[in-house]
Amino acid sequence: KKSHNLITLFWFLSVSSDGGEVDNNISKLKSSNACVSCNLNRTYLSKSNFREVDLSGASLSSANLSETKLCRTIMPNGFTDNSGC
């Protein structure tokens, strides 16, 4: 189930990415389940499932996070969000 959720997430990310840096960060997220201090600006993340993903320090400016499920996800501010567990 976890890999299915990540595949959905990566599809949303790749559809909305704005250049090579974001594409590289999507690859980083795929390979390590983390995107620490990386740029995910202006990505469409709506209805994604973030489970045990480390996004500490990530830039999510103007990212669409509506209806995103968070469970044991480390958010950019360093705190863990469990709202979707």
Side-chain angles (χ1 to χ4, degrees):
K1 183 176 179 180
K2 183 177 177 181
S3 62
H4 174 69
N5 292 339
L6 288 175
I7 290 168
T8 302
L9 164 68
F10 300 131
W11 180 82
F12 283 123
L13 288 171
S14 62
V15 165
S16 62
S17 65
D18 65 335
E21 179 184 6
V22 174
D23 289 337
N24 288 337
N25 290 334
I26 292 167
S27 295
K28 183 191 312 181
L29 187 56
K30 278 183 182 180
S31 65
S32 66
N33 210 31
C35 195
V36 177
S37 298
C38 67
N39 176 6
L40 295 173
N41 290 333
R42 295 184 291 256
T43 53
Y44 180 80
L45 305 171
S46 181
K47 299 182 182 179
S48 298
N49 288 316
F50 285 109
R51 184 174 181 83
E52 299 176 2
V53 174
D54 186 353
L55 298 172
S56 55
S59 179
L60 297 169
S61 177
S62 299
N64 183 339
L65 297 170
S66 64
E67 299 182 50
T68 298
K69 293 182 182 178
L70 305 166
C71 185
R72 293 186 291 278
T73 298
I74 302 171
M75 298 304 290
N77 63 6
F79 293 102
T80 301
D81 191 323
N82 290 312
S83 62
C85 292

